[in-house]
Amino acid sequence: MTETTHETRDEERPGWAIGPGRPGMPAGRALVVMLVTLLVWTILYAPRMREAAEAHPLGARRTASLIALAPFTALSDAVRITGVTDSLERAVGLDPDAPPGGSIVLPPPDPLPPVTVSPSPAPPTDAPPVETLEPIRTPARRDKLRVVVVGDSLAAGVGYIAGRVFRPTLVDIQQHGRVSTGLARPDYFDWFAAMGQIVHGYDPDLVIVMLGENDLQSLQTPSGKLETPSGTPEWPLAYQERAEALMRIATEGGARVVWIGLPVQREPRRWNSIRRQNRLFEEASTRVGDVAYLDSWGLFDAPDGGYTAFYHDGRRVEEVRAPDGLHFTSTGYEILVREAAALATEDFGLDPIVYSK
């Protein structure tokens, strides 16, 4: 009598996914692996996630995020994982001890007289405009034009492409775009203090500013104290005063400023708020000498004034907006930088030789 054996084939084993030429993993085990991986990742980066949550607008969502991350942050510190992640960040050139919004790093400055900078000045809105100075100087190869780009993540894209548009033999570009920053939360990143540091440490000829996307929230002081609640009648004027204050700091050393307004976004519910911010930026620019306002909404909107991802220059149609409906493609940023340079030429006498046409 012959004994019959029966081998259970892989496809007959319950709970196993079959791959070509090798056994799979039970669905339950795969889920456990995913959850453990997510838990380890959360513990590793809890301190950085908490810093990012600090930049969120005041409210229940921000509070809930901070509460949820608190035990993971404490555990990360307790088992000294934070030291490992800090070492990794230093290895790639990041400073784990920097403020939540980052810090401004300038090249070695030319000898300048010591200046005391107020952290967050707010001059009165009735302050007279500064008189327009002579045209921006013509640079030389040994005395390059100094251009600084500051602002939020939109400014980060502007700064990167500015390095392509401006001629590196004649222009030195300093990029200082900081994600999640703006004028509302100097407790997260103080652009007023940072601009003072840039002006007195780098002495720029031209400052390009693009920010505001993260500012639809209550205004706080550098110490984190609530100053002007969002949605109140006082908010627009208080926000305009902050924009004006930043413009005055940027121009106090003789630099010219091109302030780029916020572009139209794909989400229509934000359009009214963005238009209001742009009106405040433009009004502030009329009150400060040597500041030119660039309307990016009108530069990239559709014929009906709404959102479009494409740009038509009369000859060709190009995609200029990123998939998120907020940022730009490299082509879009290039158009924006060229428009900013052209405006600086028109208003401040910037020599067109410093940028490619």
Side-chain angles (χ1 to χ4, degrees):
M1 181 176 180
T2 304
E3 182 179 353
T4 303
T5 60
H6 176 73
E7 293 185 4
T8 302
R9 294 175 298 174
D10 285 340
E11 60 267 24
E12 294 174 351
R13 298 174 185 172
W16 285 74
I18 302 304
R22 59 183 178 182
M25 179 182 291
R29 186 181 300 177
L31 179 60
V32 170
V33 171
M34 291 174 60
L35 291 176
V36 170
T37 302
L38 178 61
L39 178 62
V40 171
W41 185 90
T42 303
I43 295 173
L44 280 171
Y45 292 97
R48 301 297 168 259
M49 294 169 66
R50 181 179 176 83
E51 290 176 359
E54 292 282 359
H56 294 169
L58 296 178
R61 180 175 298 179
R62 176 177 180 270
T63 301
S65 297
L66 293 175
I67 292 174
L69 288 169
F72 294 103
T73 303
L75 179 59
S76 179
D77 292 338
V79 298
R80 299 184 178 181
I81 294 179
T82 304
V84 176
T85 56
D86 287 353
S87 299
L88 292 175
E89 290 186 1
R90 290 190 181 94
V92 296
L94 301 177
D95 181 7
D97 298 321
S103 59
I104 295 295
V105 179
L106 299 174
D110 296 329
L112 293 172
V115 181
T116 301
V117 181
S118 177
S120 297
T125 54
D126 58 354
V130 179
E131 293 185 6
T132 300
L133 305 176
E134 295 297 321
I136 295 180
R137 66 183 180 86
T138 300
R141 291 181 182 270
R142 293 188 177 182
D143 187 17
K144 296 182 180 181
L145 200 73
R146 294 181 292 275
V147 178
V148 175
V149 183
V150 304
D152 53 27
S153 59
L154 287 165
V158 171
Y160 177 74
I161 296 300
R164 299 183 187 178
V165 174
F166 287 94
R167 299 185 186 279
T169 55
L170 296 174
V171 179
D172 179 59
I173 302 288
Q174 287 289 309
Q175 304 175 34
H176 294 296
R178 292 291 182 273
V179 176
S180 300
T181 65
L183 300 178
R185 296 287 307 280
D187 59 315
Y188 179 75
F189 185 86
D190 193 337
W191 269 119
F192 307 100
M195 185 65 78
Q197 182 183 350
I198 290 170
V199 168
H200 298 294
Y202 181 64
D203 190 23
D205 298 292
L206 176 64
V207 179
I208 301 175
V209 183
M210 191 172 192
L211 49 68
E213 162 60 22
N214 306 298
D215 284 339
L216 295 178
Q217 56 177 299
S218 298
L219 307 183
Q220 298 191 54
T221 66
S223 63
K225 181 181 179 181
L226 177 63
E227 186 173 87
T228 308
S230 176
T232 61
E234 296 79 17
W235 192 95
L237 180 58
Y239 187 72
Q240 179 181 317
E241 288 176 344
R242 291 196 175 197
E244 183 178 337
L246 192 68
M247 294 175 185
R248 292 189 182 278
I249 298 170
T251 57
E252 67 182 2
R256 314 302 169 82
V257 173
V258 173
W259 191 292
I260 304 176
L262 294 172
V264 57
Q265 297 183 16
R266 184 167 53 202
E267 181 53 61
R269 65 181 179 178
R270 301 197 65 183
W271 290 357
N272 288 337
S273 298
I274 295 172
R275 286 192 177 105
R276 179 182 64 172
Q277 282 181 273
N278 284 340
R279 287 194 298 269
L280 298 175
F281 293 149
E282 187 171 16
E283 175 62 24
S285 72
T286 66
R287 305 180 64 84
V288 183
D290 293 317
V291 178
Y293 175 77
L294 176 61
D295 175 22
S296 72
W297 184 297
L299 185 62
F300 292 103
D301 63 346
D304 62 357
Y307 176 83
T308 175
F310 298 91
Y311 180 84
H312 185 255
D313 64 358
R315 296 174 300 169
R316 62 188 186 278
V317 176
E318 296 185 271
E319 187 172 14
V320 294
R321 304 303 294 271
D324 64 3
L326 167 63
H327 296 86
F328 293 90
T329 63
S330 59
T331 300
Y333 279 120
E334 183 173 341
I335 293 171
L336 202 56
V337 173
R338 292 188 187 283
E339 288 291 332
L343 181 58
T345 296
E346 179 181 348
D347 283 22
F348 307 134
L350 177 68
D351 193 335
I353 196 175
V354 303
Y355 58 93
S356 58
K357 295 183 179 179

